[in-house]
Amino acid sequence: LIFHFRDLPVAVHFAMPAKWVYNFGAGEADGRAAMKNLLGGKGANLAEMAAIGMPVPPGFTVTTEVCTHFYDHDRSYPEELRAEVEEAVGLIESRVGAKFGD
């Protein structure tokens, strides 16, 4: 994004999230409880429970940044989202030993 300040162009760069989807389950988690603003309360707590070894079924959380992106970009999803969701679904399938739709 470029805007002008005192007739000088100024570039502003916005950091994109490193990822849009965070996995949890099988004693592992990409997120933690401290990431509540990014993962939402439920997503952050599921990640924390999985990380400390509680029996949490495998799953994933789509970040709150996806919602922000959706409304900031004419109601479109981030390009990388589909691939990240497909990868997360594949991870769930491998953890439970079954395919969705079986």
Side-chain angles (χ1 to χ4, degrees):
L1 175 67
I2 296 179
F3 69 95
H4 288 81
F5 177 74
R6 295 185 183 174
D7 296 324
L8 298 172
V10 177
V12 178
H13 300 279
F14 295 97
M16 296 301 293
K19 57 196 288 180
W20 302 100
V21 175
Y22 284 71
N23 296 293
F24 59 83
E28 299 177 16
D30 296 338
R32 296 302 287 215
M35 300 170 77
K36 186 176 180 180
N37 288 339
L38 181 64
L39 302 178
K42 188 180 293 184
N45 288 324
L46 284 166
E48 187 70 20
M49 290 187 296
I52 64 172
M54 292 184 71
V56 176
F60 61 90
T61 301
V62 176
T63 69
T64 58
E65 291 297 320
V66 171
C67 183
T68 301
H69 182 282
F70 182 81
Y71 287 109
D72 286 350
H73 294 88
D74 295 323
R75 297 180 181 244
S76 65
Y77 294 104
E79 290 180 21
E80 308 87 0
L81 182 61
R82 178 178 294 277
E84 288 187 30
V85 168
E86 289 173 355
E87 183 179 333
V89 169
L91 183 58
I92 292 171
E93 291 174 335
S94 69
R95 286 178 171 168
V96 299
K99 296 274 189 192
F100 278 96
D102 281 354

